Amino acid sequence: MTDTKSPADSEAGEIPDGLPFTIADGSTPLDKADMYRMGKTPQLHRNFRFFSIFGFTMVLMQTWETELNVSVFGLVNGGTGGVIWVYFGAFLGLFLAILTMAEMASMAPTTGGQYHWVSEFAPRSSQRFLSFIVGWLSVLGWQVGNPAICFLLAQQIQGLVILNNPSYVPERWHLTLLVIAILTVCMVLNTLLYRALPLLETLALVLHTAGFLAVLIPLWTMGPKLQPAHDVFFTFADGGGWGNTGLSCLVGILSPIFSLLGPDSATHMAEELQDASKSLPRAMIATALLNGVSGFVMVVTYCMVLGDLESVLQTPTMMPFIQVFYNAVGSYGGVTAMTCIMIIMASCGVVNNIATSSRQLWAFARDRGVPFSGWFAKVHPRLGLPLNALGASYVFAVLLSLINIGSTVAFNILTSLGVGALLSSYAISCGCIAVKRIRHEPLLPRSFDLGRTGLVINVLSVSFLVFTFIMTFFPPVPEPTLEMMNWSILVYGTVVVFSVVYYIVRGRLRYAGPVEYVRKSA
């Protein structure tokens, strides 16, 4: 397998016998060596450095902003105490998973991410099949994230409109048009203004940090009297009617998990990052830590100024955090400014999610994992961008958004895949490296090494990911209506069945897996 070439090499030029020299701008000698070992021809421009990729992941993850959006689900299932302690537990569990993936990223810094790691680190007998399934889950998980995040952003815009114009009557088609407009603007930023993205990420990181203070300080100083800390930290609720407070709190784990996912997004930009094997793990770990801590501070603050939950849930803006902002500052102008920070940050998050999802699709197509792989894997020769994958990501998101016009339930069904798909891709890839350690198999050289704690961290992260994966399929109440049902399990199962069938019919004949192109002697 030493001289095996990647499918992309036949289209983009072969790698010579030795380190490649005619490659994309910005590669360091270590980047060249990593790409050569993995049997990949560099095709993308390395525009990102550590600080810009750190900003990229921080903005895409944006934990404190997301928690304000989704924490209501946890408040119903768990109360303020449940939200705080479940968030803390979810942060610790996911941080262990990020440590594991950061080590794998240091060994194999590739845009393929989890499916590539599974292909290299899984037992030989299951490498191809497992990496194929993980590839499909990763691709579709990131793809459905585009319209889902845009939908949340559009709801924030509508909520702000309702706050300032109570006579406005929202319609589903209004939301859909907003989603399409957001996607279009973000698509322009990802193509025509791509070279400015590193600068945009730096500016967005500044706003992310300054905006945190701009929201936090008014809630502390202008809000209603803070509730006693003991009441906030140790008041639990079973609003879903599960009959068990502990179970109710665990059902609410979907909120912190959703807000804490994303540090691995840097991996899918690895081939556009200078000194990737060193910068990737640093960016992933720093993002998880800083976003996790800021998210915890915001969750505690939000719970302490929340007031009466039922009145907040009945807000005409349909966005409870906007009502909490208003209760705190008592000014339409102040609430508008605070909410605009959220909207701008969410817009930047959409830009980054589109970039991530398109690179994941491009990488999997490069390894012939999807239909029409040759078309999806093309890179514009002048721009150094996977324009076809970007365009496909845009069109797919627009088509999904149209479903909302007919049925919000159907739209939520299709976009609910993301969390479960990403968690399972994390669990399988972390499980593969754990198996290698259990079998005492040698690991690749790496700049970030978990050392003697590696196996413990790997096993704990897999255990947490499997448990969380199961909990995210629970509905919010024991006997849900059609609208309240958590349809993630249906969508997830459909994707897995389709990918297995496609693998049997066609995939096994075309997909070899990234490990087949690795130069073992490099």
Side-chain angles (χ1 to χ4, degrees), residues 179-433:
V179 168
I180 295 174
I182 293 165
L183 284 167
T184 302
V185 172
C186 293
M187 182 64 178
V188 170
L189 289 172
N190 265 294
T191 51
L192 300 181
L193 300 177
Y194 168 70
R195 292 300 179 91
L197 271 187
L199 175 61
L200 174 65
E201 302 305 337
T202 302
L203 296 175
L205 178 59
V206 172
L207 179 60
H208 174 71
T209 306
F212 174 70
L213 298 175
V215 170
L216 192 71
I217 293 174
L219 292 179
W220 278 352
T221 60
M222 300 177 66
K225 182 180 179 180
L226 299 180
Q227 300 180 51
H230 183 275
D231 293 346
V232 171
F233 277 81
F234 297 101
T235 296
F236 301 92
D238 180 17
W242 291 95
N244 184 290
T245 303
L247 177 60
S248 184
C249 290
L250 291 176
V251 170
I253 200 173
L254 183 61
S255 293
I257 290 298
F258 183 75
S259 66
L260 289 166
L261 288 177
D264 64 300
S265 60
T267 300
H268 306 302
M269 304 295 289
E271 293 172 38
E272 295 163 79
L273 172 63
Q274 189 179 80
D275 211 7
S277 62
K278 294 182 179 179
S279 297
L280 266 182
R282 291 166 54 204
M284 292 169 68
I285 294 169
T287 299
L289 275 176
L290 294 180
N291 260 332
V293 171
S294 63
F296 184 75
V297 172
M298 187 60 74
V299 165
V300 173
T301 300
Y302 188 71
C303 289
M304 296 194 81
V305 302
L306 179 65
D308 181 57
L309 178 59
E310 289 302 321
S311 63
V312 170
L313 291 176
Q314 298 302 319
T315 176
T317 67
M318 298 181 291
M319 299 300 293
F321 79 85
I322 294 181
Q323 186 64 49
V324 172
F325 285 176
Y326 182 76
N327 293 344
V329 303
S331 163
Y332 288 113
V335 175
T336 300
M338 294 166 72
T339 306
C340 281
I341 293 174
M342 303 275 292
I343 290 172
I344 294 172
M345 290 309 307
S347 301
C348 294
V350 174
V351 172
N352 294 359
N353 206 88
I354 290 176
T356 301
S357 61
S358 64
R359 273 37 168 213
Q360 175 73 87
L361 172 60
W362 168 78
F364 199 42
R366 179 177 59 179
D367 287 317
R368 298 177 180 173
V370 295
F372 311 108
S373 293
W375 187 82
F376 286 122
K378 287 186 181 298
V379 174
H380 192 280
R382 182 173 61 85
L383 296 177
L385 284 174
L387 285 183
N388 291 352
L390 273 165
S393 301
Y394 171 77
V395 172
F396 183 74
V398 169
L399 291 177
L400 278 186
S401 70
L402 295 176
I403 296 174
N404 181 63
I405 298 176
S407 171
T408 300
V409 175
F411 176 79
N412 289 334
I413 289 174
L414 290 173
T415 57
S416 60
L417 169 66
V419 174
L422 291 179
L423 285 175
S424 56
S425 71
Y426 292 178
I428 295 173
S429 56
C430 292
C432 290
I433 202 70

